[in-house]
Amino acid sequence: MNTLLLDATLSESDRRRQLYDGQLFVYSATPGSMALVTLARDLITETFGSLDPETAQYQLPVEQYAARLAELKPKFIHHPLSKQFIQATLRELGCELERTYFDVPRMRTATSDDYLSTGIAYAFHPHRDTWYSAPQCQLNWWIPIYEIESGRSMAFHPRYWSEPVRNSSRTYNYGEWNKTSRFNAAAHIKSDTRVQPRPEQELELDPQIRVIAPVGSVLIFSGGQMHSTVPNRTGRTRFSIDFRTINIDDARELRGAPNVDSACTGTTMNDYLRGSDLSHIAGDLVDLYDRGPQARTVAPQL
Ligand SMILES: [Fe+2]
């Protein structure tokens, strides 16, 4: 990992190859990504009424704030337009919708000053998404809804792109998580007891990279990147959108980021929807990934 590419014009397959090598890509806002932002902002405004959403945390008791997020976030995730706007964004940024699958978008919030950093507004400790049963070919797409600054962004920890970290991903199974933990996020206000894969050693978080780009711009990175939520002390809540994609040919050929330390079981493969018609991934491929880490071992890049 050594390069951040801005508005790169290379082919989408070359972009994937570079993402699997750990590079980061940022694109200026597209009509689709801005439509996604506008939808998110409309729902946020509905939720907070006359309050400024970025500072509403200072006006509301935390239980009420968490309850509002618990209503807002699923509305955004399942809104009929959100999938259309993702399809548009993917098309505009060169993806072939027949070959590209995506999952529903999430809305993330990072409140300031430790107001709420559990459950519905979980502040992510350093992790790779591939510790959470994501395939090695997963790409993450990240879009700020309001202006961000370094103090309320996310951070990459490049040293660990190729360096393994002792971690508890071996205890994580996505299917189990779905059964037990996923649906009660809003109940975790003061502490979060849900078992998540974590580093089991001290990490050196610096040097780190934080990408600060305008509202609606799109940051793309590999699910194998070590990344975390920056502890927010800026006095404003960060709102962002993210979703994930996979390319079906890469999934079949086991291409993707190298697996340096993930030992989780289960798979998120059943969550992805084909860009062209929202159909799911064929069962045989889901089963291949469901069988565990050896199935996710990546073939050497040609
Ligand atoms: Fe993540």
Side-chain angles (χ1 to χ4, degrees), residues 15-220:
R15 180 172 72 207
R16 294 200 313 273
R17 215 160 293 140
Q18 293 211 32
L19 285 159
Y20 301 153
D21 278 340
Q23 317 310 0
L24 305 174
F25 284 76
V26 182
Y27 290 91
S28 301
T30 69
S33 72
M34 275 317 290
L36 211 46
V37 165
T38 304
L39 172 66
R41 284 187 174 197
D42 288 348
L43 295 174
I44 292 168
T45 305
E46 234 171 67
T47 301
F48 290 106
S50 58
L51 298 175
D52 172 356
E54 292 180 278
T55 54
Q57 63 169 96
Y58 299 106
Q59 315 290 327
L60 293 170
V62 70
E63 289 79 8
Q64 266 188 41
Y65 188 87
R68 290 196 194 196
L69 290 188
E71 253 187 65
L72 164 65
K73 291 190 174 185
K75 256 193 224 162
F76 177 71
I77 291 174
H78 302 297
H79 197 286
L81 287 175
S82 69
K83 290 192 190 69
Q84 284 181 35
F85 296 153
I86 289 181
Q87 288 165 312
T89 307
L90 294 176
R91 211 179 299 114
E92 289 155 0
L93 291 178
C95 296
E96 209 184 314
L97 293 191
E98 275 289 313
R99 325 293 318 154
T100 307
Y101 289 64
F102 66 94
D103 72 351
V104 289
R106 319 284 153 166
M107 184 190 291
R108 311 278 181 191
T109 41
T111 62
S112 192
D113 304 302
D114 301 320
Y115 169 74
L116 175 63
S117 55
T118 53
I120 197 78
Y122 192 79
F124 274 94
H125 54 270
H127 69 281
R128 308 181 200 276
D129 281 28
T130 49
W131 288 354
Y132 289 75
S133 312
Q136 295 299 133
C137 61
Q138 180 181 289
L139 300 178
N140 293 20
W141 300 59
W142 196 95
I143 302 170
I145 299 173
Y146 300 104
E147 221 168 280
I148 52 168
E149 55 180 290
S150 182
R152 58 169 183 279
S153 59
M154 53 164 291
F156 296 100
H157 309 289
R159 164 177 172 173
Y160 300 104
W161 170 255
S162 50
E163 188 176 313
V165 167
R166 270 202 318 282
N167 70 84
S168 61
S169 62
R170 65 188 172 281
T171 65
Y172 187 84
N173 177 290
Y174 181 64
E176 287 301 311
W177 166 264
N178 267 342
K179 269 189 245 158
T180 56
S181 302
R182 183 176 186 170
F183 299 107
N184 60 3
H188 295 268
I189 290 173
K190 300 254 153 56
S191 66
D192 208 318
T193 53
R194 299 173 299 165
V195 178
Q196 303 215 22
R198 291 178 170 279
E200 294 179 317
Q201 66 176 67
E202 204 61 45
L203 296 195
E204 276 184 34
L205 297 182
D206 287 307
Q208 56 181 257
I209 296 175
R210 304 175 183 182
V211 177
I212 309 305
V215 168
S217 52
V218 185
L219 164 65
I220 315 176

